[in-house]
Structure formats: structure tokens, C-alpha cells
Amino acid sequence: MPAMNQVPELQDLVEDMPRFVSVLTAFAAKLQINLGEFHADHISVRCHQNTTADRWRAGLEKCGQLLNETMINGRPICLYTLNEPLVVGPLSIDLVELPYPSDKRYPHEGWEHIEIVLEGIEDELYTRALALIADEALMTPGIKLKQSAPKGENERLPNPTLAITDGSVTIKFHPHSLREIVASEKVGG
């Protein structure tokens, strides 16, 4: 099975990775987070059209396997386990999240965020995640925080999210990995 860089349908994502690593690394430095100290659960893309999502889906099926597809907020979210992990700065990531487009428009089509697992009590996630970020970074103009709790139809594990963005890249924190969430759906379904 080919690696991502050998799949024609994914060449725009391959070409976008250096940009993403650059903005991610700069953002992590601004937040004073050492990415190498964490486990990145997955990386996610964003696109504006279903035709792009369909093309990426076809490409991801050539270099990985569909782990799960579920409806969240009225749109399909697909998870692909890659045969060959992506190198994203100091991180090695083998899970790609492909959400189909929503009404929201992103400033860039391509890689958009990584998600980091901070194991522990779900209700304490926000406190634990915020403690990792320098206070002065949280007060920097343009830095936005968003708390949410996206949930698939059959999920049994609560998986709150704290997203931190500067508008060009996002780092999200969760208490559980997506593989654990998928397993909880299968037990409950």
C-alpha cells in the first residue's frame, strides 16, 4: 500500500504539510508548549467542497484504512488510520480526521489542526490544558479559546475539547483518544 506522498489525490495535502508544520511550530512556541512532550492523537483537514472531501477520501483509502465514519453536527466525519505515519514537526501521527464541509468557511483548505490527548478526569480537562499554556500567550491579541463537547450518535465516553487557535492553526486537547471514542461507540451500538 502506498504512502500518502505517492497518492495523486492527496498531493495538495502533501504540499501543504511544510506550511502546516511551520505555522503549528510557531504557534506552539507562542503558547510556550513543547509539542514533543505530547501524544498527538490525530491531525485534521478542512475543505470547502464535498468534491474535495471525496477526492481526499479516495486518496486516504489508498494509503490507509477507514477506522470510523460517524455523523457529528449533521455531517460525516471520517477517521483513517494511515499505513505510514505522518511526521508533523516532532510528532508522528497515524490518524487523519476528514470532516466533510459545513457552513463554516476556513481561511485555508488543507491541514487545520492537531489534537492532543491529556488523560484524566473529563471535568478537569479545561483546567489541565490551560495550565500548559503561558499566561501571556492567553492574553495575546488574536488567540482564541473554545470549549466544546462534540458527540457522535453512539458515543459513551464524554470527550470535552479545548481548542486554542490564532486563526491559521488550531491545537485541541481531549481527555480520550479517538480510538477510545470509536471503541465506546462499538460497545454501545
Side-chain angles (χ1 to χ4, degrees):
M1 193 171 269
M4 185 179 281
N5 63 0
Q6 299 168 319
V7 178
E9 294 90 342
L10 302 176
Q11 286 312 295
D12 52 344
L13 291 177
V14 170
E15 292 168 8
D16 189 45
M17 185 59 78
R19 177 209 60 87
F20 181 76
V21 170
S22 176
V23 295
L24 177 67
T25 304
F27 186 50
K30 187 184 295 185
L31 298 177
Q32 297 179 30
I33 294 175
N34 180 353
L35 291 175
E37 294 177 1
F38 298 98
H39 165 67
D41 179 57
H42 65 279
I43 186 169
S44 186
V45 294
R46 291 293 186 265
C47 62
H48 299 176
Q49 297 182 25
N50 285 340
T51 54
T52 303
D54 288 340
R55 177 172 50 83
W56 288 348
R57 181 181 189 137
L60 288 166
E61 289 173 356
K62 292 179 180 177
C63 62
Q65 294 84 37
L66 181 67
L67 173 67
N68 193 51
E69 180 175 348
T70 191
M71 294 295 284
I72 298 179
N73 298 329
R75 65 186 172 142
I77 308 287
C78 303
L79 298 174
Y80 285 90
T81 303
L82 299 176
N83 294 321
E84 187 175 303
L86 296 171
V87 176
V88 184
L91 304 167
S92 177
I93 305 174
D94 71 346
L95 191 61
V96 174
E97 179 183 52
L98 170 60
Y100 271 68
S102 67
D103 294 338
K104 183 174 180 182
R105 290 293 170 249
Y106 291 84
H108 176 80
E109 285 192 298
W111 302 110
E112 195 265 340
H113 73 261
I114 62 165
E115 300 198 21
I116 294 173
V117 174
L118 291 180
E119 292 180 359
I121 299 168
E122 292 94 354
D123 292 345
E124 298 173 0
L125 172 77
Y126 304 129
T127 303
R128 288 195 322 273
L130 288 172
L132 299 171
I133 302 162
D135 288 344
E136 58 269 21
L138 292 173
M139 301 189 13
T140 303
I143 302 288
K144 294 181 181 159
L145 300 174
K146 180 182 176 187
Q147 297 178 0
S148 63
K151 190 169 175 39
E153 291 179 56
N154 297 315
E155 280 181 24
R156 298 292 184 249
L157 280 176
N159 206 28
T161 304
L162 178 66
I164 304 167
T165 188
D166 65 358
S168 66
V169 67
T170 303
I171 298 174
K172 296 184 179 185
F173 296 94
H174 292 287
H176 301 290
S177 72
L178 283 182
R179 286 179 172 93
E180 291 172 310
I181 296 299
V182 168
S184 81
E185 291 174 351
K186 300 215 184 312
V187 168

